[in-house]
Amino acid sequence: MSITRRAAIAAALATPSLALAQAFPNRPLRMICPFAAGGSADASARQVSEALAPVLGQPVVVENRPGGGATIGAQVVARAQPDGHTLLYGTPGPQIINPHLMRSVPYDPERDFAPVAGYKRAPNLLAVHPGLPVRNVQELIALAKARPGTLTFASSGIGSSSHLAGEMLKFLAQIDITHVPYRGTSQALTDLMGGTVSMALDTLSILLPPSRSGHLRALGVTTPQRSALAPDLPALAEALPGFDAAPFNYIATTGGTPAPIVARLNQAVVGILNDPAYRARMEALGEEATPSTPAELAATIRAESARWKQVIEAAGIRAE
């Protein structure tokens, strides 16, 4: 077969896919946020939806579907028509954490979703009360081993990223520290600054300001390498190889959505994240943009799921 004929056949086969992508979207899209309005996930979902609308040429409306540890909102996306018009603002819960934390989830965490693009990482920070006699993570580990069970770490609730980060610290350092769950971050931060609890691992936006002001002492960030958002702080992985507890957020759609539509959505999200002004807005909130291809995002979700499964099973955590 001649090269010219091969090219003609390839072009003919590509035409339906090209037409499908060009016709999308043909109506407003909805972005399902599986958390209540007013939280950080809701704010990010609204920010990216607002930016996507002019790129896609259709409104992108945020719908808050909280409950069930984010499974209710995820189920809405899993059961939607696979046409790309229903998006999930993804956090680690629906596909990565909940399948190991809960006895069952009302969807297949891999088959029922089509990864679109990575969106952001929000590095966590390990901070201690300044009265604790430690200056770095090595000294913290030594103190915890000398006083097993007496040091405490606060979290915003069982199964939260701040809880699981603490469990990873326990797992990798082989230390015995006691988890103290709170209903959100406000009271946890108050008690940490007051010395009621010893330490916490939460986002930079929450723990860095009181650390800079001297109300807390920052020991390190939870990303595998130092973060550009706090370059003076070491990564915990420098003392604990393999430590990585920076929750990432992403965009997904319904499983079975045609690849050309997924590619169109990916192009839109990545284009936004590569805009310097948009990145600057994220960095001001303590967030790092993480654009990716759908295949790269799928691989990240699988790797994160396997890693957190190990931590959750070692800690014996179950959702209440």
Side-chain angles (χ1 to χ4, degrees), residues 94-96 99 105 107-113 250 301 305:
Q95 291 184 267
I96 295 167
V105 290
Y107 47 76
D108 185 298
E110 186 168 349
R111 184 191 64 220
D112 289 345
F113 301 95
Y250 57 94
I301 290 172
S305 177

Side-chain angles (χ1 to χ4, degrees), residues 91-137:
T91 64
Q95 291 184 267
I96 295 167
I97 302 298
N98 291 345
H100 311 303
L101 196 66
M102 300 176 172
R103 297 190 185 281
S104 63
V105 290
Y107 47 76
D108 185 298
E110 186 168 349
R111 184 191 64 220
D112 289 345
F113 301 95
V116 171
Y119 181 64
K120 72 173 184 179
R121 276 190 183 274
N124 281 342
L125 176 68
L126 170 59
V128 301
H129 183 267
L132 207 66
V134 299
R135 295 283 172 180
N136 53 54
V137 70

